[in-house]
Amino acid sequence: MPSESFQRLPLEVQDIVTSGLETEIHTAFELIGEAKNSGSLSAEEIGFLEGDIIRASALRSQLTGEDTQL
């Protein structure tokens, strides 16, 4: 169920917020991929990025009511 207060925001603001969350998710996936290929990040740092993906996805789902597939 979407957040009623989020749904009351202007569509432009909703788009900015959801686009920002999607960008954060995409960037974290890219960083993880690069790190796995180059070994530039520790397992702990990769874990932090994976946590960021989970939190951003959960927030997006909570705000929009959409079930995101990772």
Side-chain angles (χ1 to χ4, degrees):
M1 178 178 197
S3 167
E4 290 181 25
S5 57
F6 183 72
Q7 298 298 316
R8 287 192 298 263
L9 292 171
L11 288 176
E12 294 83 15
V13 174
Q14 291 179 39
D15 288 342
I16 290 169
V17 172
T18 55
S19 293
L21 290 169
E22 289 170 3
T23 299
E24 184 174 339
I25 293 165
H26 181 73
T27 300
F29 272 120
E30 284 182 349
L31 290 172
I32 290 170
E34 291 171 10
K36 287 183 177 179
N37 289 334
S38 68
S40 62
L41 296 178
S42 68
E44 184 178 67
E45 291 170 314
I46 291 174
F48 288 138
L49 289 171
E50 290 170 340
D52 289 346
I53 292 169
I54 292 168
R55 284 185 290 282
S57 296
L59 179 57
R60 186 179 187 285
S61 292
Q62 185 179 16
L63 293 175
T64 64
E66 296 174 7
D67 186 26
T68 56
Q69 300 294 321
L70 298 179

